[in-house]
Every structure is written in C-alpha cells, then in structure tokens.
Amino acid sequence: MSKPLALKLAPKSLDDVIGQRHLIGKGKILTNLVKNKKLFSMILYGKPGIGKTSIANALVNDLGVRYRFLNAVVNTKKDLDVVIEEAKMYGEIVLIMDEIHRLNKDKQDVLLPQLESGLITLIGMTTSNPYHSINPAIRSRCQLFELKELDTDDIIKGLKRAIKHEDLEGIEIDDKTISFIVTLSSNDLRYAYNLLEIAYYSSDSKKITIDKIKSINNKPVFFSDKNGDGHYDVLSGLQKSIRGSDVDASLHYLARLIMEGDLDSIYRRLSVIAYEDIGLANPAIGPRLDAAINACERVGLPEGRIPLGEIVCEMALSPKSNTSHVALDLALEDIEKGNTGNLPSHIKTDAKDYLYPHDYPGSFVVQQYLPDKIKNKKYYKPKDIGYEKTVKEIYEKLEAIKNKK
C-alpha cells in the first residue's frame, strides 16, 4: 500500500513547514541553526498534528546530516546500541526519537553519555510537558522548544497545498467544504489531511462536499491526552475559570474532563481549588466537595456528573480567598532563607513557664510564640469577604489585645 497523503506532504525543508513562526523564518532560532550549519540536542513538544516530526525531518534534510529515527516505546536498547555504533563509525549522528517521555531507565543510561560527549545529537519529540515527564538528566542536555497550536489559516494553507498533490488529481472542493474540514480538525493538520484523503477515495466522483465530509465524521476532534499538555491545559482552564467566578466556562472545562473519563484528575484539581482559591471565604466547601466526590464514586458515570456539576457551580459562584496558603508560602519562604531562630523557651516540651490558654477567660492569653528573631512577623492578612469576614473580626480583636498588652 502507498504511504498516506499526510506523510507525502511532510515538509522536506524548514521553508515548507506550516506554522511555528516563533521558531521558523527570517531571524528565528531554527532557521538560524540551519543557516549557521549547527545543530544542538533539543526536545520539540506540543499537541499532535502540529509539526514535531516535520520539523525534525526538515532540520536533518536542510543540514544534510546522517540521522536515524527511533521510537522510545517500540525500539529496544539493542536498536539504540546499533545507532551508537554507527555514530562511532562516522564520528557523530542525529537521533530523532519519538515519544521521548517514554524512554526507560536502561535506554537513558545508554544514551546519556553519548549526549554528554556529543557523539549523538538528540531531537526528541513528545506531546507531554517535558518539565513534568522527561528525566531531568536528559532534559538538562537539551534545548526545549514548545510548538504552538496551528491556527485556522495554517490548516487552510495546508489543505490548499494538499489538493494540488498528484494523488488527488481532479479533486473538486469549494472553500466552504475546506472550512468545514478545518472546523472538524480542531487545528490538527494531520487529521485534516487524513479526512480529505478519505473523502476523496470514498467518493463516487472526485467532488468533495460538506455532506460527504459529514457522512465520514461530523464531530470535531477533541484532543485528549491524559498524560500530556492538552489534559493539563484543560485542568488549568477549569481552575482559572472557577477562580474567576465564570460558572459557564467552569462547566465547559468540567464537561471536557468528564468526556475524558479521568475522574481522579477532576477530584484532585477540585480539592486543590477548594483550599487554594476559595479557602477561608467559604471553608464549608471542602466537606461539601468531599460529599460530591463520594456521591460521584458511589453512582459512577453518567449519573456522577450531577453532583460534580452542582459542586462546580457552587465553587465558581462562591466567594474566594487565597490568604491562608499565601500566608503559609510566606512562612515557608522565611524557613528556606534561614529566617527562623530558636523557639521561645516557654513553648518547648515540658516548659515550666508556659501559660495554658484554657485556664484563662476566652481560652486566650497573651504570650510570645514566634522566635525572638521574627517575633513581630505577620504572615496572615485576612480578606473582608464571605466567612473570612468573621475570621477577620476575630483576628483583629486578638491583635488589638496583643497590642494593648
């Protein structure tokens, strides 16, 4: 069988690459590397169908260097050994490795010394965030380049290039149908190419219409990678929407996560939001969230969406406060800087002069708790919102008593 159209349309040079204008073009870093005939180890990361493999192949073609292509999952340690022996024979080699985040420890141990010595120049590719998923030893030896999502104009440009290919001889397609394919592709150029090719070969004639495309697929591609950037972006969108009190956006991102079926990620992120973004403004949200999670676990999906939807609406519309975790971060910052000091003797274990607060009216008595070095330090700054308004009143009353004393 012949190669798919998407593969035949793969750029042979950086000049043919669609999109990624922050990396490719006059004065841009990858173009300059080719211009200066120099290549460094790098990791290209981003969503599927945006050009990682294309750029890797274009770089080695433009530079005219010897290279080999491996997949971190499929290829074995023995395959890697063969590449290393070839590199030793010729003095150097470029290794293009797909799914670099899946490289196991045995292969890493073999590869690292060769990267260190410069015998192998690595071009790694991944849909995952390399800061989270790639071994730090590998990462520190590579430059990291994030590929940006292609826009509508990029996909249209790619499709118009595709319809001129000899494989699609005699094709008839109008701009509205091209735009419809773009919508379905969700900015995945490879998917757009594949859909166009299937439509062409599954048609009685060579005319491609919107109805023909709909008969193949009328549902937009939804990029879902539970271990990758797309997944974390949606989780980030959920948190930022709840934090911003946009209930509709919050429900949208919740729906996308439910479609993925990754309930554990939803539970973890909502738990963080409850304490990071809502906090003391509505401390009851934590137990209420736990109840919603328990209900979802008990009934499962699809019914579990009901308690999740309700709690997300409540969280989005809840008053917000981040004062408690900001205060703790300030305390942690002091400790990291060594700004601590010795505990006051009267609060140490078995201290004789400790004043037991429960023996005093209101279960409160003024005494020093912080070390002398930071005894006047103030980490917590309450907000005048929600339940924290009550907390602030108590805080200010206690501070007034301390100051008076």
Side-chain angles (χ1 to χ4, degrees):
M1 293 184 68
S2 63
K3 294 189 294 186
L5 179 66
L7 206 54
K8 292 180 179 180
L9 289 166
K12 300 295 188 296
S13 166
L14 284 182
D15 293 337
D16 300 326
V17 172
I18 292 174
Q20 311 314 325
R21 289 175 285 275
H22 62 301
L23 297 174
I24 299 169
K26 186 177 180 181
K28 302 301 182 181
I29 184 167
L30 295 185
T31 301
N32 283 345
L33 289 179
V34 171
K35 179 182 177 182
N36 295 317
K37 296 182 172 18
K38 184 66 176 177
L39 191 61
F40 297 91
S41 289
M42 65 180 71
I43 293 171
L44 307 173
Y45 69 102
K47 291 182 178 181
I50 60 175
K52 296 183 292 295
T53 304
S54 296
I55 289 175
N57 285 324
L59 281 170
V60 294
N61 286 337
D62 283 341
L63 290 166
V65 294
R66 182 176 295 277
Y67 73 96
R68 288 291 176 265
F69 190 102
L70 296 181
N71 183 297
V73 178
V74 175
N75 292 107
T76 65
K77 179 176 171 290
K78 186 176 179 180
D79 296 324
L80 186 54
D81 288 334
V82 171
V83 174
I84 292 170
E85 288 306 311
E86 185 176 353
K88 289 176 180 177
M89 185 183 304
Y90 292 98
E92 62 180 354
I93 202 167
V94 175
L95 173 60
I96 301 174
M97 182 169 285
D98 201 7
E99 299 193 76
I100 184 71
H101 64 285
R102 302 285 295 276
L103 195 67
N104 65 32
K105 188 176 186 304
D106 286 345
K107 295 174 191 172
Q108 289 171 22
D109 291 342
V110 172
L111 181 59
L112 279 170
Q114 316 311 326
L115 294 181
E116 191 71 38
S117 68
L119 185 66
I120 286 181
T121 300
L122 174 70
I123 302 179
M125 300 173 296
T126 177
T127 56
S128 297
N129 188 327
Y131 295 99
H132 298 156
S133 61
I134 293 180
N135 180 290
I138 296 281
R139 197 174 65 226
S140 69
R141 290 164 174 80
C142 299
Q143 298 300 313
L144 306 182
F145 296 120
E146 181 181 7
L147 272 60
K148 305 296 185 182
E149 193 169 355
L150 300 180
D151 59 29
T152 298
D153 290 339
D154 292 328
I155 307 298
I156 291 174
K157 180 180 179 180
L159 288 171
K160 289 193 171 180
R161 180 183 296 177
I163 61 178
K164 295 176 182 178
H165 194 273
E166 60 184 6
D167 280 14
L168 304 185
E169 183 181 359
I171 188 173
E172 293 181 45
I173 186 169
D174 59 26
D175 288 342
K176 286 185 178 180
T177 306
I178 289 175
S179 295
F180 187 65
I181 294 174
V182 172
T183 301
L184 292 177
S185 73
S186 292
N187 296 335
D188 182 333
L189 184 56
R190 186 191 300 114
Y191 183 87
Y193 285 156
N194 291 340
L195 185 54
L196 179 67
E197 185 177 23
I198 292 169
Y200 177 82
Y201 284 106
S202 63
S203 177
D204 291 334
S205 66
K206 296 178 181 180
K207 185 173 183 179
I208 310 302
T209 64
I210 290 178
D211 286 340
K212 182 63 184 176
I213 298 297
K214 283 182 177 179
S215 72
I216 300 168
N217 185 354
N218 64 357
K219 183 178 180 181
V221 176
F222 174 60
F223 171 61
S224 173
D225 178 1
K226 293 182 183 179
N227 299 311
D229 255 2
H231 179 67
Y232 290 110
D233 285 344
V234 177
L235 286 168
S236 175
L238 175 66
Q239 181 161 10
K240 289 181 173 67
S241 299
I242 292 176
R243 182 188 294 153
S245 301
D246 188 324
V247 67
D248 297 303
S250 301
L251 288 169
H252 172 78
Y253 293 118
L254 174 65
R256 289 175 67 161
L257 291 164
I258 288 174
M259 287 293 287
E260 288 186 18
D262 188 1
L263 292 175
D264 286 341
S265 289
I266 296 173
Y267 300 157
R268 286 195 297 269
R269 187 55 66 104
L270 290 179
S271 296
V272 169
I273 297 168
Y275 294 95
E276 178 183 352
D277 295 306
I278 296 174
L280 286 172
N282 183 7
I285 205 70
R288 288 181 62 77
L289 172 60
D290 282 344
I293 290 172
N294 288 335
C296 184
E297 282 290 276
R298 191 173 298 119
V299 301
L301 291 176
E303 290 83 356
R305 77 190 190 286
I306 299 168
L308 287 178
E310 182 176 317
I311 195 65
V312 163
C313 286
E314 185 176 352
M315 292 173 76
L317 298 172
S318 172
K320 311 291 192 300
S321 175
N322 65 348
T323 55
S324 55
H325 88 81
V326 168
L328 177 58
D329 287 346
L330 291 172
L332 289 168
E333 184 180 330
D334 265 353
I335 293 167
E336 287 172 357
K337 291 178 178 177
N339 191 22
T340 54
N342 295 323
L343 275 73
S345 59
H346 60 274
I347 64 168
K348 292 182 179 179
T349 307
D350 299 328
K352 305 298 182 186
D353 50 352
Y354 170 62
L355 303 179
Y356 188 59
H358 296 292
D359 290 340
Y360 294 85
S363 294
F364 177 76
V365 61
V366 176
Q367 59 186 326
Q368 182 180 328
Y369 292 97
L370 280 171
D372 285 340
K373 185 179 178 181
I374 54 171
K375 65 180 181 180
N376 295 318
K377 193 80 174 184
K378 302 294 181 189
Y379 297 118
Y380 177 57
K381 298 176 181 178
K383 289 184 177 180
D384 196 13
I385 187 169
Y387 176 79
E388 195 169 13
K389 189 172 184 180
T390 302
V391 173
K392 183 181 179 184
E393 291 173 0
I394 297 170
Y395 175 81
E396 290 176 344
K397 186 181 294 184
L398 295 175
E399 286 297 298
I401 296 172
K402 289 179 189 177
N403 293 335
K404 185 176 181 181
K405 183 72 174 181

